[in-house]
Amino acid sequence: MPAKPRSLVLDLFGEYLRFVDEGIQLGHLITLLEAFDIAPPTVRVTMSRLRREGWFTVQRTGRESRYQLTENMLEVLDEGRERIFAAPPNDWSGQWTLVIYQLSESDRHDRDQLRKALAWHGFGPLSTSTWLTPDDRRETARGLLADLDAKQAEVLICSSDGVEHDRSLAQQCWDLASLGEEYDEFVAGHRDLPKKASRLQGAEALAARTHLIARYRHFPFRDPQLPPQLTPDPWSGYAAYQLFHEAHAALGPAARAYVGDVIGHEVTDAEMVGRRRV
């Protein structure tokens, strides 16, 4: 599916434009989004909506508008980027964190929000009110349950009868078969991209790198990042992670150079900035 203008704008800021202190001219955004066949009126409408939603502040000098991410939205992008680029785990303690909660039908909204939060943080539903995640995640779980009464929820550490039982639990909590098929498709569709990267320049490099991120970024938010002891065999999740990083790095110099030429400002390598923060 073609990426939506909203997603493309946020990808461009998250990867390149966020480091420009004086903000980005609307005209430069329009030029960059031409690489994705996004028409200027669509860019203007998209930026207006994102500004109203609190993503951007706007400074106007005469007829020129400059857009800059708000501090809150920078934090959102940082959190998402950290999740996308995090390496899969390579070991496991053999323990599970178990969350059991009881919320009545009158608390449906709170229940739905809790389920979304648990899923976001890598928990999977063993039943409607019992959720699991590998390793000791009690602190995370208690933070998610902080608004509930002590009698409404329990957080426990547990273990099973062995690795086969553990794998069975993982398959009950997550649709690993479907996710594995999508990983296979990603690897098959992008296997040659690192080799082709050197032949892509300018807008082509930017488009290829942005589409790569758009295709891969859904995995870390659906994948519970299970240790190898719990994943099916075969499992191409780690191969997809390695391929993504290799292709992303290979396309980086040409994509950053093109963005820099358009905006008239050298573009910082976002991945190196992230490493320096660790």
Side-chain angles (χ1 to χ4, degrees):
M1 292 289 291
K4 296 181 179 179
R6 175 193 180 94
S7 297
L8 291 170
V9 167
L10 297 179
D11 284 341
L12 290 175
F13 271 89
E15 192 71 25
Y16 311 102
L17 305 179
R18 60 176 298 173
F19 304 109
V20 182
D21 293 336
E22 63 269 24
I24 300 300
Q25 293 182 31
L26 179 60
H28 291 160
L29 273 175
I30 288 173
T31 300
L32 291 172
L33 288 165
E34 287 176 356
F36 308 93
D37 297 322
I38 306 300
T42 303
V43 179
R44 294 188 181 94
V45 169
T46 300
M47 295 308 298
S48 179
R49 287 175 177 170
L50 288 169
R51 179 187 59 78
R52 290 197 300 270
E53 293 174 14
W55 280 92
F56 292 98
T57 59
V58 182
Q59 294 182 345
R60 290 185 173 86
T61 305
R63 300 181 63 181
E64 180 182 290
S65 298
R66 286 184 175 272
Y67 287 81
Q68 196 164 29
L69 284 163
T70 63
E71 287 298 321
N72 287 341
M73 294 306 103
L74 277 170
E75 293 178 5
V76 171
L77 289 180
D78 280 344
E79 181 181 356
R81 183 178 181 81
E82 182 179 354
R83 185 80 170 266
I84 292 169
F85 285 85
N90 55 21
D91 199 9
W92 183 41
S93 65
Q95 294 182 315
W96 296 88
T97 299
L98 177 69
V99 173
I100 305 171
Y101 62 85
Q102 296 180 3
L103 290 173
S104 66
E105 189 64 23
S106 62
D107 298 317
R108 179 184 299 179
H109 175 75
D110 291 339
R111 183 183 62 197
D112 291 345
Q113 292 301 111
L114 176 58
R115 289 174 180 172
K116 289 178 182 178
L118 287 167
W120 172 264
H121 286 277
F123 288 78
L126 187 62
S127 69
T128 54
S129 58
T130 303
W131 291 62
L132 285 175
T133 194
D135 289 322
D136 187 349
R137 303 284 306 283
R138 284 177 291 180
E139 184 176 350
T140 298
R142 286 169 181 152
L144 299 176
L145 300 168
D147 293 335
L148 298 185
D149 185 273
K151 296 180 180 180
Q152 292 179 295
E154 293 286 351
V155 178
L156 305 169
I157 286 290
C158 62
S159 58
S160 78
D161 293 331
V163 66
E164 292 304 319
H165 190 189
D166 289 325
R167 286 178 178 269
S168 175
L169 290 173
Q171 290 173 4
Q172 292 179 64
C173 290
W174 298 280
D175 186 0
L176 299 178
S178 177
L179 185 60
E181 290 176 359
E182 292 187 35
Y183 272 134
D184 291 341
E185 292 173 2
F186 177 86
V187 172
H190 297 84
R191 184 177 288 115
D192 296 331
L193 187 55
K195 295 179 181 178
K196 294 178 180 178
S198 61
R199 301 197 299 269
L200 298 176
Q201 298 296 320
E204 285 187 329
L206 175 64
R209 197 171 193 242
T210 305
H211 287 312
L212 174 73
I213 296 171
R215 180 66 184 88
Y216 182 81
R217 70 169 170 225
H218 300 288
F219 288 123
F221 299 100
R222 293 184 53 221
D223 188 340
Q225 297 295 302
L226 299 176
Q229 295 92 330
L230 299 178
T231 55
D233 187 19
W235 179 253
S236 56
Y238 193 70
Y241 166 81
Q242 290 180 309
L243 176 59
F244 167 71
H245 274 262
E246 185 179 356
H248 181 267
L251 290 163
R256 287 192 297 273
Y258 176 68
V259 174
D261 287 344
V262 171
I263 68 175
H265 191 290
E266 184 177 356
V267 175
T268 303
D269 184 343
E271 193 164 0
M272 293 304 298
V273 171
R275 290 173 186 168
R276 289 198 294 269
R277 288 176 179 168
V278 175

